[in-house]
Amino acid sequence: MNVAETGFAIAARRLLPLLFVSYIVAFLDRVNIGFAKLQMASALGFSDAVYGFGAGIFFLGYFLFEVPSNLALEKFGARRWITRIMFTWAIISGAFAFVDRIPWGPLPALFGVAPLEFGFYALRFLLGVAEAGFFPGIILYLTYWFPAAKRARTVALFMTAVAAANVIGAPVSGAIMQYADGMGGWGGWRWLFVLEAIPSMIAGIGIWCLLPDRPAQASWLTPEQRHAITTQLAQEDTAAHGIAHSTARVAATGAAQALRSGRVWVLALVYLAGTFSLYGVSFWMPTIVQELGIGKTEYLEIGLLSMIPWGTAGVVMVWAGARSDRTGARHQHVAGALLVAAAGLVGLVLVGAHVVPALIALCFVTAGVLSFFATFWSLPTAFLRQTAAAAGIAWINAVGNLGGHFGPDIIGRIRTATGSANYGFLFLAALAVAGALLTLFATGARERIMTTQEA
């Protein structure tokens, strides 16, 4: 193993566990509203439509502040900016325990919304503003440390945090709601928000103390390893720029160029298809499981059953990321993952409320969407560099994550109107198929043309 390879291996061992834990607590604070809903909706009188809109409005704040946040990360450094992100979202997440007690003055009347609903929407929106830039910031940060050939597997390992957050968070959330309910006169859902905000604070301290901005600041690398990593990544950037200019593929080196790139917009639409499925199901997973015949107050059992799809997805996504790196077939892996998710969504409609078949269908959905996320980011990071990477990655993530707003909202509205989420699942499946086709025939075909030009 040469000096650079040794450095990459050490960087992976040092950075990925810290980033992994940070993303676990980030994702947990984002989606624990799904478990809280099992008590919170009835306690506060929220309909499925109100819950679905509130769960999804997180992503409107996320969308509006995604690109500025990622550009700020590049300017101020990952350590400072990610620490800021984690502390602000922890404070807002904990504030949900007091959602019905925060005075909003004339704002609810201004927006024509009841005060209680407005408070729910406002806190979810602010949580999205606070967390904006965290995930794309980490994706950008990984490009500072790992070459393109290693990124799909690296991102897959990092993104197993999504599965881990649900595998760990589902039973923990269920246990908090079941056993802390009534403690100190509080409902279990209030304790859920307060207790699950604390790990974000702790992780933020860890980021501040342990995360170097770039390889040059890593005291745990030797000078030779720092130089080798920096040199190899710089050579890769130079080669990418050279290929770009020789093939009419002008690699975007500025934020404006990245945002004008047709490739960036196509990838944003593909990402949108994936996020529709991920959040359309993840925010509703506890409710889906509960409606398989689980007792209304058996929150721990709901959490334990919810672990199964996410645990399966964690294993599959690591395999998919490694296979994508080994074969180099990026587009096929991304499209295939979306088709697996679509099959699972259709399966949910077909199997009804039968526990084992429904859990198998959910395994297909979660394995498909997480494998999609693990392999997708190898596509934009292959051609975006420097400031363009900060802006382009953030823009793809921002536009794509609008699916996180509309997915849960659509499911909630359809459930309110029909009493069932089946039409919503079929709609998400259709979007996943469209995303797969777009990947293969828009981004994939274009890549093959460019390869021919290079030859």
Side-chain angles (χ1 to χ4, degrees):
M1 186 180 289
N2 61 34
V3 175
E5 290 297 320
T6 301
F8 292 136
I10 293 172
R13 290 197 300 270
R14 286 279 188 161
L15 298 176
L16 289 180
L18 178 60
L19 298 176
F20 179 84
V21 170
S22 299
Y23 197 41
I24 285 177
V25 297
F27 201 82
L28 187 59
D29 282 345
R30 181 187 302 187
V31 303
N32 60 8
I33 192 73
F35 266 92
K37 181 254 182 189
L38 300 178
Q39 288 182 349
M40 184 184 189
S42 58
L44 301 181
F46 291 162
S47 68
D48 282 346
V50 169
Y51 165 74
F53 182 79
I57 201 173
F58 167 96
F59 291 98
L60 293 184
Y62 204 78
F63 168 79
L64 292 173
F65 289 86
E66 191 85 273
V67 173
S69 182
N70 233 32
L71 294 175
L73 182 144
E74 188 186 34
K75 179 177 180 179
F76 297 112
R79 183 173 68 98
R80 287 192 184 115
W81 198 249
I82 293 174
T83 299
R84 192 282 305 164
I85 288 173
M86 298 188 76
F87 271 90
T88 51
W89 97 51
I91 292 169
I92 295 169
S93 182
F96 273 90
F98 311 97
V99 64
D100 54 340
R101 303 174 187 180
I102 298 174
W104 294 98
L107 290 177
L110 182 65
F111 284 89
V113 179
L116 195 54
E117 288 181 28
F118 179 85
F120 178 48
Y121 298 156
L123 285 179
R124 286 294 294 176
F125 179 83
L126 291 173
L127 186 65
V129 171
E131 196 180 317
F134 177 76
F135 175 76
I138 297 300
I139 298 298
L140 174 65
Y141 181 72
L142 292 174
T143 68
Y144 300 159
W145 291 85
F146 300 101
K150 296 180 182 295
R151 282 182 200 147
R153 184 171 182 273
T154 302
V155 171
L157 290 171
F158 165 62
M159 286 199 64
T160 54
V162 176
N166 286 281
V167 170
I168 297 168
V172 169
S173 296
I176 290 172
M177 288 182 56
Q178 186 163 334
Y179 298 114
D181 191 34
M183 189 171 66
W186 271 18
W189 63 272
R190 295 187 195 272
W191 284 111
L192 177 69
F193 288 120
V194 170
L195 294 178
E196 291 188 351
I198 294 172
S200 296
M201 291 282 192
I202 297 172
I205 295 170
I207 290 288
W208 178 259
C209 296
L210 301 174
L211 193 75
D213 286 327
R214 300 269 185 162
Q217 285 83 49
S219 60
W220 32 263
L221 292 173
T222 66
E224 293 79 12
Q225 290 165 347
R226 291 196 291 268
H227 176 73
I229 290 175
T230 302
T231 300
Q232 183 166 329
L233 292 173
Q235 289 172 346
E236 184 177 89
D237 282 352
T238 301
H241 285 298
I243 291 172
H245 288 292
S246 69
T247 65
R249 171 177 53 170
V250 179
T253 55
Q257 288 174 288
L259 299 181
R260 289 197 302 267
S261 168
R263 265 182 103 189
V264 168
W265 278 91
V266 169
L267 289 172
L269 293 176
V270 172
Y271 200 60
L272 179 68
T275 58
F276 256 95
S277 295
L278 173 63
Y279 294 110
V281 171
S282 64
F283 280 123
W284 289 97
M285 176 83 79
T287 301
I288 294 169
V289 173
Q290 185 186 56
E291 292 176 350
L292 296 177
I294 312 302
K296 292 291 186 182
T297 59
E298 296 299 322
Y299 304 115
L300 178 56
E301 184 178 355
I302 294 168
L304 292 171
L305 288 175
S306 298
M307 288 173 58
I308 296 172
W310 294 112
T312 302
V315 174
V316 173
M317 74 183 295
V318 172
W319 171 82
R323 190 174 187 278
S324 174
D325 278 344
R326 186 173 66 252
T327 64
R330 307 299 195 186
H331 297 86
Q332 292 87 338
H333 281 81
V334 172
L338 284 173
L339 292 176
V340 170
L345 287 161
V346 173
L348 278 176
V349 175
L350 296 177
V351 301
H354 300 285
V355 177
V356 174
L359 287 175
I360 292 172
L362 285 170
C363 286
F364 272 82
V365 177
T366 55
V369 293
L370 291 195
S371 295
F372 164 79
F373 284 100
T375 54
F376 172 84
W377 289 106
S378 62
L379 301 182
T381 58
F383 72 96
L384 290 169
R385 295 292 185 274
Q386 301 174 10
T387 303
I393 291 169
W395 184 246
I396 290 168
N397 197 60
V399 172
N401 268 299
L402 287 176
H405 168 66
F406 292 110
D409 186 36
I410 286 171
I411 297 294
R413 291 179 187 276
I414 290 175
R415 282 175 57 91
T416 297
T418 68
S420 169
N422 285 347
Y423 288 115
F425 293 148
L426 291 175
F427 176 71
L428 298 185
L431 286 179
V433 171
L437 295 175
L438 196 59
T439 301
L440 291 174
F441 297 108
T443 64
R446 185 168 181 175
E447 192 69 43
R448 286 192 293 274
I449 290 169
M450 289 187 289
T451 301
T452 301
Q453 290 173 333
E454 289 166 24

